[in-house]
Amino acid sequence: MFDDLPYPCRHQPSPRRRTLAVEVRDAEVVVRSPLRYPPQRLKAWLKDREDWILHHLQAQQARLEAHQIRFQSGSAFPFMGQELTLFWQLAEKTSVQWQAQALQLSLSRRSKRDPLERVPEALKTWMQAQAEQSLLPRVAQLAQQMRMHPRQVLIKGFRRRWGQCSSQGVITLNWRLMHASPALQDYVIIHELCHLREMNHSSAFWALVAQHCPDYRNLRQALRSRGAWLDW
Ligand SMILES: [Zn+2]
């Protein structure tokens, strides 16, 4: 039904909706409508908002591109809210060294595979180790302050989320959070810890988040604009 729109669009009809709403998020257009809303009227409604939609879409695409993680030697690599410069070269064996503002990768000469495939692999292993070293103790610290008791805390790689909290009380954080500043990391950790008490995104949940992280609205917004960090 949306094939002839000048942008990709996801339609979410819902029995609980009475009005139309459109949102541009992570460079994607989502339109929400009541069930069985007449398609022609929905299209006309979107047409009236086309300038607004395209403007936001372009701005978000530009932002995604600006934050894209790149692997050419000399690229900027965001780490803990700073910008490191990534360098790599072929060497006797594979290793990663972080010195001041430089992240120096050595890739083993013995492999015949394309270095641009091997650089992200080596970086993932390194980021996972960094996340275990610095995020796990931070979760323990914040959990103690907030009097929350996660059953287990894990570090994994997700492509669409920064963290998650299971109904069994297991918190999992994305190692890609190591790209983010400590303030953003704290927000995600606090968010997941609050889910131990409120397993939803109700107003009670956000009130609890606000208690421990008063600036959560701005941090959440900032994190949203860094969606490209999830994409490698
Ligand atoms: Zn949540």
Side-chain angles (χ1 to χ4, degrees):
M1 136 181 193
F2 289 122
D3 290 352
D4 50 350
L5 289 176
Y7 47 83
C9 183
R10 195 150 55 88
H11 184 203
Q12 290 186 337
S14 155
R16 283 170 310 176
R17 272 209 88 84
R18 305 198 158 265
T19 55
L20 299 178
V22 63
E23 187 185 21
V24 184
R25 184 193 277 194
D26 305 331
E28 187 189 41
V29 179
V30 181
V31 58
R32 298 189 173 82
S33 76
L35 278 187
R36 286 182 290 277
Y37 194 86
Q40 288 313 321
R41 271 174 63 195
L42 183 49
K43 275 191 200 169
W45 186 86
L46 283 172
K47 187 84 196 150
D48 286 343
R49 285 154 185 81
E50 195 162 290
D51 285 348
W52 180 91
I53 291 169
L54 289 175
H55 170 81
H56 281 270
L57 209 49
Q58 275 158 13
Q60 289 187 11
Q61 273 157 354
R63 208 156 45 199
L64 276 179
E65 228 153 84
H67 292 294
Q68 207 80 58
I69 306 293
R70 292 169 218 277
F71 303 109
Q72 283 82 10
S73 199
S75 301
F77 189 82
F79 184 73
M80 295 284 286
Q82 292 184 42
E83 208 149 84
L84 306 185
T85 309
L86 175 68
F87 297 105
W88 58 259
Q89 60 187 17
L90 296 177
E92 282 314 300
K93 55 180 192 145
T94 300
S95 71
V96 182
Q97 281 198 358
W98 168 31
Q99 278 172 337
Q101 299 302 104
L103 195 57
Q104 183 78 51
L105 252 82
S106 301
L107 297 173
S108 162
R109 251 186 266 277
R110 270 170 293 177
S111 171
K112 298 275 178 287
R113 289 170 53 224
D114 183 355
L116 280 179
E117 268 175 37
R118 293 159 63 204
V119 169
E121 284 168 19
L123 285 174
K124 277 178 190 177
T125 309
W126 185 76
M127 289 283 273
Q128 169 86 28
Q130 293 295 317
E132 283 168 10
Q133 249 176 59
S134 69
L135 296 180
L136 294 181
R138 186 60 182 154
V139 177
Q141 202 175 19
L142 286 168
Q144 195 182 20
Q145 279 172 26
M146 294 164 64
R147 297 178 205 285
M148 299 285 193
H149 306 283
R151 174 170 296 192
Q152 200 183 357
V153 185
L154 303 169
I155 305 287
K156 284 190 185 169
F158 295 121
R159 295 296 292 268
R160 291 199 65 92
R161 45 169 65 229
W162 298 105
Q164 115 182 339
C165 178
S166 78
S167 52
Q168 282 79 43
V170 178
I171 288 181
T172 313
L173 297 172
N174 194 340
W175 52 255
R176 291 174 179 84
L177 258 183
M178 291 309 291
H179 286 309
S181 66
L184 288 176
Q185 294 173 357
D186 277 2
Y187 159 68
V188 173
I189 295 169
I190 289 167
H191 180 123
E192 300 308 337
L193 285 170
C194 287
H195 276 318
L196 293 172
R197 199 159 295 161
E198 298 281 342
M199 258 331 263
N200 50 49
H201 292 116
S202 62
S203 49
F205 168 79
W206 289 114
L208 189 60
V209 172
Q211 259 179 46
H212 299 285
C213 182
D215 196 28
Y216 80 94
R217 278 176 208 275
N218 289 326
L219 294 167
R220 193 170 171 229
Q221 197 62 41
L223 203 58
R224 228 176 234 175
S225 69
R226 301 295 189 272
W229 288 350
L230 292 171
D231 200 24
W232 68 284

